[in-house]
Each structure stands twice: as C-alpha cells, then as structure tokens.
Amino acid sequence: VSLLSRNIVIQGDEVDSLPTDADNYICYDKDSASSYPCQNSWLTGFGGHVIVHTAGSQGRFSGVELQRVGQTNVLGRYPLHFHLIGNVTDQNYANHYVRDTAVHDSYFRCYAIHGTQGVKFTQNTAYNVIGHCYFLEDGVEENNELSYNQAAHIHPLGSFQNPSNQEIPNGDNFWGQTLAYYTE
C-alpha cells in the first residue's frame, strides 16, 4: 500500500498533457495473460517536469506529489531531474534530497540523476509510469543513495522486454530496499 497524494502538488495540464495516441493501447503477451502498452502507442504524453540544473543549484523536495508529468521520449524531460550539478557533497550541499515524494501518471520515467553525485532519494513512490523510474542517466553518477523507494504499475516503452523500475549503469551508488512491481 502506498499513498500517492501529497499537500504540495505539481501537475501537467489536465487536458493537454494526455497522450493523443492511446486508442489501441493494450497488447497481450501471446504466452500469458499479461498485457502491456502496445508499441507505437502512448508516445505523445506531454506533462510537466522539474529540473534542478547546473552547479550551485539546490534541490530539496519533501512531501511533493507530481502528476501528469514527463514528456515521452524527450531527453531530459523527466518528472524530477537532477541535471549536471556535479559533486554536491564537495560543495557542502549535503542536503540535496527527494524524500516522501510521489510520482504518478508519468509519461516518461520518474526520478532521474544525471551527472550528479551525492543526492539522496528515499521513501519515494511511483505509480503508473512509462519507462524506468529510478534512473541514473549516464553511468558516471556516484555516491547517491536510493533507499526505501517503491515503483508499481510500470510500463516499458515499446514491446515488453524488462519491466525494471530502475536503470543501474554504475554500481558505485547505494541501492537499498527498493521494491518494483509490474502489472496490467
């Protein structure tokens, strides 16, 4: 059980964010009763996004709800994105964190760390998301902590290959007690 609502809400437009190519959106695996979004559908979602960008920026998020966010297949337009900040622990920005935050109805991923070291993502949840949820973009990201996070109802882009909730290109990060759940 996971609570998605929060007191602080960041959301995409209720009308214009929704994908326009969602007519035939359910495909079925021929060997099981499993279903997934069809290839070449749900590719036009255009929701809001939050980006913490460049060295010296500070990002502290606690108790935030992000709904109708992310822009499908648009590089860098993820719901909550730490982008090229560098090593925040060297800059005495040890308080860069995302905690007790919920992302739901996302059109492209959930939480992204790109070119940033020393960020803490803990006790977050995500539901009904297209693409990876907890995402390290280039593999150079180190010394980040991702712990006690949850992701459920994750939809892969295109055909069903790997319903993972996380992309882990570099092992020099702490991943603890993260739960992934995929279903249709």
Side-chain angles (χ1 to χ4, degrees):
V1 175
S2 187
L3 181 65
L4 296 176
S5 63
R6 303 292 193 272
N7 289 330
I8 302 167
V9 179
I10 299 170
Q11 61 186 352
D13 187 74
E14 195 170 347
V15 175
D16 294 335
S17 293
L18 299 175
T20 58
D21 59 346
D23 289 338
N24 297 319
Y25 66 93
I26 297 178
C27 286
Y28 294 93
D29 187 347
K30 64 181 179 180
D31 298 325
S32 72
S34 179
S35 64
Y36 56 89
C38 295
Q39 194 166 4
N40 299 321
S41 69
W42 287 83
L43 299 178
T44 58
F46 194 82
H49 68 278
V50 176
I51 187 168
V52 180
H53 192 278
T54 65
S57 299
Q58 295 185 23
R60 299 177 187 156
F61 301 88
S62 182
V64 178
E65 174 185 355
L66 294 99
Q67 178 184 17
R68 292 186 302 273
V69 286
Q71 298 173 5
T72 310
N73 284 333
V74 179
L75 186 65
R77 297 302 182 247
Y78 317 122
L80 191 50
H81 183 188
F82 282 78
H83 182 76
L84 300 177
I85 300 173
N87 190 339
V88 297
T89 54
D90 287 349
Q91 300 169 358
N92 295 320
Y93 294 142
N95 291 323
H96 278 71
Y97 58 81
V98 179
R99 66 176 175 229
D100 190 35
T101 294
V103 170
H104 60 97
D105 304 319
S106 171
Y107 310 120
F108 198 38
R109 303 197 167 117
C110 300
Y111 307 96
I113 301 172
H114 179 206
T116 303
Q117 292 77 35
V119 177
K120 183 175 185 174
F121 283 74
T122 189
Q123 298 176 342
N124 300 297
T125 190
Y127 178 78
N128 196 28
V129 173
I130 297 173
H132 291 96
C133 262
Y134 301 93
F135 178 66
L136 303 177
E137 195 162 337
D138 285 339
V140 298
E141 298 79 12
E142 298 179 328
N143 302 316
N144 298 294
E145 179 181 331
L146 293 96
S147 59
Y148 307 104
N149 296 300
Q150 179 186 36
H153 206 60
I154 308 304
H155 313 284
L157 283 167
S159 62
F160 182 77
Q161 294 176 6
N162 180 4
S164 171
N165 74 314
Q166 55 200 20
E167 177 71 17
I168 310 172
N170 185 328
D172 196 12
N173 292 286
F174 175 75
W175 295 82
Q177 307 267 338
T178 299
L179 174 66
Y181 175 64
Y182 171 86
T183 186
E184 273 297 318

